[in-house]
Amino acid sequence: MSGTKESRMTIAAGAFALGGILLFVGLAGAALLGQSAGSAGGGPLFDAYIWRITRFTLLQASLSTLLAILFAIPVARALARQASFPGRIWVLRLLALPLGLPALVAALGLIEIWGRQGLLNRVLSAAGLEQPVSIYGLSGILIAHVFFNMPLAARLMLAGIERIPAEYWRTSANLGMGSFAIFRFIEWPVIRGLLPGIAGLIFMLCATSFTLVLTLGGGPAASTIEVAIYQALRFDFDPPRAIALSALQVALTGALLLVLKLIAPAPLEGETSGRAIRRFDGASGLSRLADRIWLILAVILVGLPFAAIAYSGSKADIVRLVSEPAFHRALAMSATIALVSATISVAIAALMIRTERLALAQRRPGAAPRLFAGTIGASTSFILLVPPVVLGAGWFLLLRPFGDVARFAPAVVVAINALMALPFVHRVLAPAMATHAARTARLAASLGIGGFHRLLWIDWPGLRKPLFVAFSFAMALSLGDLGAVALFGSEDMVTLPYLLYSRMGSYRTADAAGLALVLGLLCLVLTVLGTAGEERPPEGKST
């Protein structure tokens, strides 16, 4: 009886969270539409330019997703097979860094490596080739998207592989299975189950990319729908066109996500006795060589831009920068916003994941529970399709009648950052919570353990690691966000990315490079905290 009451309370709380998300987004859109009510239309909502950038958006997002996933699979396998090489934890932390790095800072680091005067072109020019690599246009966008999204895909795949029960590896060793057979029969079924979610997330990130496309696109020929939305609001102030473009973006990406969901296989949750995991493959010389090559390539792709940022930042007067009162205020504001938004995002994601599972817990759930569960699951992904500039502009208009908008700015920025981090947090927690529930739910129910005691004795020990990873991801995302703050930034609300942006705008490039370095180091600290405990192979793995 108490279990039924607890389930009903959880479902009600999940429904309340879903309603809050829809209301927050809906009010922003309604405010934009209401602002233009009665005004004459500025022209057709869709024209040849819009259809052209729509084709380019789909092309670059599809290619970016494909390249990131193809690169991530061997990297994830290499990290899973080589569980104890020196420096493994720092490779994992390096792969977590791009997620929290501001896109503008990352673009500057990529230009230092891949740009016309970058390291790669200087090396190739010394070999007799003249400017053979261009960072601008489609190639630059693809490089930047792979830089950001390959590490994310690799870490999500690695988490799935590490949840494979120990019995599978002992059985594979007893059967004498080779590397290809292990991949085909053990690793690939797990990766295949994760691919629709990972591909959908990366596609949404690439389709909604704004700063990278604006910086590396090279002109109107390489623009995306997100850029057109920004132009409609920032330069033309044509809210109907912006809303229509947002709807087009949601429809296109939503159709793809629906297809991915339909073709996604059912998750494989093997039973396990909880013994220490020990892998017996990957010990041959050829396997070690292949794994090292993939890991070196990943470290080069991700590490060189950070090295360029560190080199440029080291030339700045870091001591003077961190001693300035403006830096102290920006750091305090960024840390507060990041902590609050990450806490909210993780709490909402965990609640909605559990709500979705409980809604489908019946033996034969009806149409209403299935629709509710589907809406819960889709909302965590579709929120990424709503441009932050639309949310920010809408709430700016809503709050303007109540006085100085700056008073409400921190709360709005926290809400937007929490929602923008929700898809990432959901992708980290959902597989871990599904596996945890499959292994503990029946036993906990049979023992009558529920509520706070289940959370303390069962859920927290089993989910502590993915919760820390999700929390660090959400904090890093919020810490490096500029989109929401750009609309509300003022003297009373300055974050580290906004301070960096203002220094770049005033051509104080040395200060900007120093702030970029400090921001990167803060993201590194977050990844260290988020990957705490990964020095040891997960779940007691021994080698």
Side-chain angles (χ1 to χ4, degrees), residues 292-494:
R292 287 173 182 173
I293 290 175
W294 284 111
L295 291 177
I296 289 173
L297 290 175
V299 169
I300 290 175
L301 174 70
V302 179
L304 279 182
F306 284 104
I309 294 170
Y311 177 74
S312 299
S314 64
K315 297 179 180 179
D317 190 349
I318 301 294
V319 176
R320 176 184 59 80
L321 282 175
V322 298
S323 302
E324 293 179 355
F327 175 82
H328 298 159
R329 292 193 298 269
L331 178 61
M333 181 62 70
S334 292
T336 302
I337 291 175
L339 280 170
V340 177
S341 63
T343 302
I344 294 174
S345 187
V346 171
I348 291 177
L351 173 63
M352 297 183 80
I353 292 169
R354 179 164 171 77
T355 300
E356 184 180 3
R357 184 176 67 83
L358 291 176
L360 300 175
Q362 306 174 25
R363 290 187 176 181
R364 295 181 179 178
R370 289 200 302 271
L371 178 61
F372 175 66
T375 305
I376 286 280
S379 64
T380 58
S381 297
F382 283 138
I383 190 62
L384 194 61
L385 298 179
V386 183
V389 66
V390 171
L391 292 177
W395 277 96
F396 181 87
L397 295 174
L398 281 172
L399 297 172
R400 192 167 55 178
F402 297 96
D404 186 9
V405 178
R407 293 185 301 160
F408 309 98
V412 176
V413 172
V414 164
I416 293 177
N417 285 352
L419 292 182
M420 291 300 107
L422 197 57
F424 300 92
V425 175
H426 185 273
R427 289 299 186 279
V428 173
L429 291 183
M433 291 183 67
T435 300
H436 178 75
R439 295 176 179 176
T440 64
R442 291 184 180 179
L443 179 60
S446 65
L447 296 176
I449 303 175
F452 177 76
H453 294 96
R454 187 191 64 227
L455 177 65
L456 181 62
W457 297 337
I458 298 177
D459 293 341
W460 174 247
L463 296 173
R464 179 173 53 195
K465 178 180 172 181
L467 283 171
F468 274 135
V469 173
F471 186 81
S472 67
F473 272 16
M475 271 202 71
L477 279 171
S478 180
L479 194 65
D481 174 71
L482 178 62
V485 178
L487 288 170
F488 294 94
S490 64
E491 293 183 359
D492 297 325
M493 184 182 174
V494 177

Side-chain angles (χ1 to χ4, degrees), residues 227-242:
V227 175
I229 294 171
Y230 172 77
Q231 291 172 343
L233 285 175
R234 178 67 176 83
F235 299 109
D236 306 327
F237 196 71
D238 189 355
R241 184 179 176 94

Side-chain angles (χ1 to χ4, degrees), residues 74-384:
V75 171
R77 288 195 71 215
L79 287 169
R81 292 201 301 183
Q82 310 300 331
S84 59
F85 66 87
R88 181 180 186 271
I89 181 60
W90 291 105
V91 174
L92 289 172
R93 289 166 178 168
L94 178 65
L95 293 181
L97 274 178
L99 186 61
L101 194 70
L104 186 59
V105 176
L108 295 178
L110 290 170
I111 291 173
E112 288 286 335
I113 302 300
W114 299 86
R116 291 171 183 170
Q117 303 300 323
L119 175 64
L120 180 61
N121 275 331
R122 289 200 300 269
V123 171
L124 294 178
S125 295
L129 299 176
E130 298 230 359
Q131 306 293 336
V133 177
S134 175
I135 190 64
Y136 299 103
L138 178 60
S139 59
I141 294 173
L142 294 180
I143 291 172
H145 284 166
V146 172
F147 167 81
F148 271 103
N149 298 310
M150 182 280 292
L152 172 64
R155 285 182 62 86
L156 293 175
M157 291 179 190
L158 176 63
I161 295 174
E162 288 179 341
R163 289 193 296 271
I164 296 176
E167 289 78 5
Y168 285 37
W169 304 117
R170 288 200 300 274
T171 301
S172 68
N174 292 334
L175 295 176
M177 296 173 64
S179 176
F180 179 76
I182 289 176
F183 174 73
R184 179 183 176 185
F185 295 109
I186 299 179
E187 293 175 320
W188 174 244
V190 174
I191 295 175
R192 183 181 59 188
L194 297 173
L195 275 183
I198 295 174
L201 176 61
I202 293 177
F203 185 90
M204 284 190 297
L205 289 172
C206 298
T208 59
S209 180
F210 172 71
T211 305
L212 292 175
V213 175
L214 205 61
T215 306
L216 303 175
S223 293
T224 61
I225 297 176
E226 192 86 2
V227 175
I229 294 171
Y230 172 77
Q231 291 172 343
L233 285 175
R234 178 67 176 83
F235 299 109
D236 306 327
F237 196 71
D238 189 355
R241 184 179 176 94
I243 295 296
L245 288 171
S246 298
L248 174 64
Q249 185 169 265
V250 171
L252 291 174
T253 312
L256 175 71
L257 292 180
L258 179 61
V259 171
L260 291 175
K261 187 174 182 63
L262 292 176
I263 66 176
L268 300 176
E269 305 296 347
E271 297 294 332
T272 178
S273 61
R275 296 180 181 178
I277 295 177
R278 182 183 180 188
R279 292 191 62 160
F280 301 89
D281 60 322
S284 67
L286 185 61
S287 297
R288 288 180 179 271
L289 177 62
D291 291 341
R292 287 173 182 173
I293 290 175
W294 284 111
L295 291 177
I296 289 173
L297 290 175
V299 169
I300 290 175
L301 174 70
V302 179
L304 279 182
F306 284 104
I309 294 170
Y311 177 74
S312 299
S314 64
K315 297 179 180 179
D317 190 349
I318 301 294
V319 176
R320 176 184 59 80
L321 282 175
V322 298
S323 302
E324 293 179 355
F327 175 82
H328 298 159
R329 292 193 298 269
L331 178 61
M333 181 62 70
S334 292
T336 302
I337 291 175
L339 280 170
V340 177
S341 63
T343 302
I344 294 174
S345 187
V346 171
I348 291 177
L351 173 63
M352 297 183 80
I353 292 169
R354 179 164 171 77
T355 300
E356 184 180 3
R357 184 176 67 83
L358 291 176
L360 300 175
Q362 306 174 25
R363 290 187 176 181
R364 295 181 179 178
R370 289 200 302 271
L371 178 61
F372 175 66
T375 305
I376 286 280
S379 64
T380 58
S381 297
F382 283 138
I383 190 62
L384 194 61

Side-chain angles (χ1 to χ4, degrees), residues 65 83 100:
T65 303

